[in-house]
Amino acid sequence: MNEKLSRRRLLSGAAALVGTAFLGRGTALAENQEQLQQPNQPGQSGQTPNLEGAPYINTRTQPAWMRPPHPVPGEPGKHYKPTVTPNGSTLPWKVVDGVKVMHLTAEEVEHEFVPASEDNEPLRALCWGYNGQVHGPTIECVEGDRLRIYVTNNLPAATTIHWHAVIVPSGMDGVGGLSQKAIQPGETYKYEFTIWQHGTFMYHSHHDEMTQIGLGMTGMIVVHPREPEPQPPDRDFVLLLHEWRIDVGTRRPNPNEMTDFNILTMNARAFPGTAPLVATLGDKVRIRLGNLSPMDHHPIHLHGHAFKIVATDGGPIPETAQWPETSVLVAVGETRTVEFVANNPGDWPLHCHMTHHVMNQMGHQFPNMIGVKPGDLNRRAGTILSGFMTMGETGMADMGSMGMKIPKNSVPMVGLQTPKDYITMGGMYTNLKVRENLESYDKDPGWYQDPPGTLASLATKDELQHDLGFVPSAQDMQKPMNSMHMDHMDMKHGG
């Protein structure tokens, strides 16, 4: 008995010692893994790869920019497939001593929001932008790249650039007065930092923000993962959302506006000036959305497809946390990245679902005319004011196609004529065009030709009589339809 007890005690004591040792070791390992992390350790595809000899960093006190840059600057075609910025461009760069060197020039830009058409002259305005365009060119690089960005100020006012959601040293953050001295007119400043994160980010002025962001001093940043993705997208689009107040007939956006914006844009273009997003049937499509509007959030809705939200400006969303959507809310100061397979051929709207955000100028500050019966008001008023006519009694759908003369440097509040009818949307709207066969991604394939039996069309009298039992008209439609519904309910309950 004593021998058994002794052995039991011995075994129990040994087990306790082993358990304590294991627990202590595990705790120590956890602490080490939390505080000391090799910055370039091997990871899952799309994450930072191994760099032999890279020092450990304390992740609790040392941010990612302290990691040494990758010795090989990322190259398009080798490390990543370049993105597409519709109606925009990508910032050129060159490598100097292993550093990617870029140059941005802040300057006044005469920008075209909507091109000329049969219904309007081009809508242009004097904005502030970068490198002769609004918005600025997309900055594209690879995780681990060291960037040296020169910023020349050709504006009449001081400015800075903030790298929105990019983890940089405090002195490179670009907040005038806090991070740095503002860049005075005629000066060129140098920003330099290493990026050890990948995703979709933005840049914008952070000096006199209301004025300078309101005049267009914004742009997008795309950082690709160092290790190429196992299934990269076939089409990778970049869209920056914005809003403007441009009063009819004027040539300068009003940055003091707080609520009543009348030009809503994707990449600084309002429909029908927005370029379509073109994809081949079966393509994996990624759309990177950023919002630097002064005041408004935008629920962006895609027709014909469902997508997953795969990333924010804070980084990738784990696959287990992604969920399907057809609309994504992009708040001011945020980016959202969505992905889907373009498996549904056709022309599919991509637009903000706030109805006043798919309108252009002349859609604000007028009386509600819905239901008004003008009688002979047009004739009587025409004796005093030549050409007078009432408008809006049945809505706004005809405003773009009425053929009326409009003031210079203005645009109809809605749309575009197509072979089928008139699109009664403008503003923050574009089309995703999915085709089985494409001549080129760079060429608009034109309007979709629907296969037989897949196009909504005018019903014939025979079809109506056969299916509904009557031919509806504006006067008698309601009552027969109610009767049919009641008959259906009676049959359902066996009456």
Side-chain angles (χ1 to χ4, degrees):
M1 179 69 71
N2 290 338
E3 184 180 0
K4 291 182 179 179
L5 284 173
S6 299
R7 287 179 179 176
R8 184 177 299 169
R9 287 172 181 169
L10 177 62
L11 291 172
S12 299
L17 286 171
V18 171
T20 303
F22 181 80
L23 180 60
R25 183 173 180 271
T27 304
L29 282 173
E31 290 176 352
N32 287 338
Q33 288 174 351
E34 181 181 20
Q35 296 184 9
L36 297 177
Q37 175 186 326
Q38 188 168 1
N40 307 304
Q41 59 189 351
Q44 296 178 355
S45 182
Q47 295 182 352
T48 304
N50 182 49
L51 286 182
E52 292 185 6
Y56 285 87
I57 64 170
N58 187 328
T59 57
R60 292 177 67 91
T61 59
Q62 293 178 285
W65 60 261
M66 287 187 174
R67 301 174 180 179
H70 195 285
V72 180
E75 298 180 32
K78 181 178 180 181
H79 298 106
Y80 66 95
K81 186 174 182 178
T83 59
V84 177
T85 305
N87 299 116
S89 69
T90 301
L91 185 64
W93 51 267
K94 65 178 181 178
V95 176
V96 179
D97 299 328
V99 177
K100 281 188 176 177
V101 177
M102 307 175 183
H103 186 203
L104 287 170
T105 300
E107 57 191 348
E108 187 173 74
V109 179
E110 182 170 359
H111 175 68
E112 182 176 273
F113 288 90
V114 181
S117 72
E118 295 181 358
D119 299 318
N120 61 277
E121 297 179 4
L123 174 61
R124 298 191 178 115
L126 291 173
C127 304
W128 288 3
Y130 300 100
N131 294 27
Q133 66 182 70
V134 176
H135 306 284
T138 298
I139 295 174
E140 194 164 16
C141 62
V142 175
E143 187 179 26
D145 283 347
R146 186 160 183 85
L147 307 184
R148 184 178 299 143
I149 305 175
Y150 290 95
V151 179
T152 298
N153 183 7
N154 285 345
L155 295 169
T159 191
T160 65
I161 289 191
H162 168 61
W163 319 103
H164 189 105
V166 179
I167 307 302
V168 298
S170 178
M172 296 289 176
D173 197 43
V175 180
L178 176 67
S179 308
Q180 65 171 89
K181 293 181 66 174
I183 310 170
Q184 298 301 315
E187 292 183 337
T188 296
Y189 267 47
K190 179 181 72 172
Y191 295 85
E192 186 165 345
F193 46 86
T194 301
I195 294 185
W196 272 119
Q197 59 189 123
H198 62 268
T200 306
F201 315 106
M202 302 179 284
Y203 66 91
H204 58 82
S205 168
H206 223 310
H207 183 78
D208 190 9
E209 296 80 2
M210 180 191 75
T211 299
Q212 297 191 8
I213 292 176
L215 288 173
M217 296 186 68
T218 59
M220 294 287 280
I221 301 172
V222 174
V223 184
H224 296 276
R226 171 60 60 170
E227 184 178 341
E229 300 174 79
Q231 295 180 325
D234 300 291
R235 303 291 280 153
D236 195 342
F237 297 105
V238 179
L239 296 176
L240 181 54
L241 313 176
H242 205 79
E243 60 192 1
W244 318 72
R245 172 64 182 269
I246 304 176
D247 291 323
V248 171
T250 65
R251 297 191 66 241
R252 179 83 68 180
N254 181 2
N256 300 315
E257 182 57 55
M258 294 181 65
T259 58
D260 197 9
F261 300 94
N262 61 2
I263 296 293
L264 287 298
T265 59
M266 291 177 165
N267 288 348
R269 287 291 193 107
F271 189 77
T274 52
L277 312 185
V278 179
T280 300
L281 188 67
D283 277 352
K284 179 181 178 181
V285 178
R286 175 180 293 160
I287 303 177
R288 305 170 187 260
L289 298 158
N291 182 9
L292 284 174
S293 299
M295 298 297 292
D296 286 317
H297 311 318
H298 301 296
I300 300 300
H301 176 59
L302 175 63
H303 293 218
H305 297 81
F307 53 71
K308 286 187 176 181
I309 304 169
V310 300
T312 74
D313 41 312
I317 298 173
E319 188 172 353
T320 54
Q322 299 170 10
W323 66 93
E325 283 280 10
T326 62
S327 298
V328 55
L329 181 63
V330 189
V332 174
E334 290 185 346
T335 73
R336 292 290 182 268
T337 302
V338 304
E339 290 182 358
F340 60 95
V341 174
N343 61 2
N344 195 0
D347 293 335
W348 303 109
L350 177 71
H351 63 94
C352 181
H353 219 288
M354 291 189 175
T355 56
H356 280 247
H357 292 185
V358 287
M359 297 172 65
N360 290 321
Q361 289 173 314
M362 304 176 68
H364 307 265
Q365 296 180 344
F366 53 84
N368 179 11
M369 296 293 291
I370 299 295
V372 170
K373 302 186 185 322
D376 65 346
L377 176 61
N378 291 338
R379 180 186 61 79
R380 289 187 294 150
T383 61
I384 303 172
L385 184 62
S386 178
F388 176 88
M389 63 181 295
T390 55
M391 295 185 295
E393 305 98 290
T394 60
M396 304 298 166
D398 298 328
M399 293 300 164
S401 57
M402 294 179 68
M404 293 175 53
K405 293 185 67 175
I406 61 176
K408 287 187 176 182
N409 205 45
S410 64
V411 63
M413 69 173 68
V414 293
L416 180 68
Q417 183 67 48
T418 77
K420 293 173 181 174
D421 210 328
Y422 196 88
I423 297 176
T424 57
M425 288 185 284
M428 195 172 285
Y429 172 101
T430 190
N431 290 305
L432 169 69
K433 296 191 173 185
V434 180
R435 300 291 188 272
E436 185 173 359
N437 298 298
L438 280 176
E439 181 180 332
S440 169
Y441 281 133
D442 299 325
K443 183 178 180 181
D444 187 336
W447 301 108
Y448 184 63
Q449 301 296 316
D450 303 88
T454 66
L455 175 65
S457 58
L458 183 66
T460 66
K461 290 184 178 180
D462 289 343
E463 290 171 333
L464 293 168
Q465 190 64 49
H466 180 271
D467 292 341
L468 300 182
F470 67 97
V471 178
S473 66
Q475 289 75 28
D476 63 7
M477 181 175 63
Q478 186 63 38
K479 184 175 180 180
M481 290 300 290
N482 284 342
S483 298
M484 185 177 73
H485 176 70
M486 291 305 295
D487 292 343
H488 168 74
M489 294 299 291
D490 290 344
M491 288 189 294
K492 181 178 179 180
H493 293 285

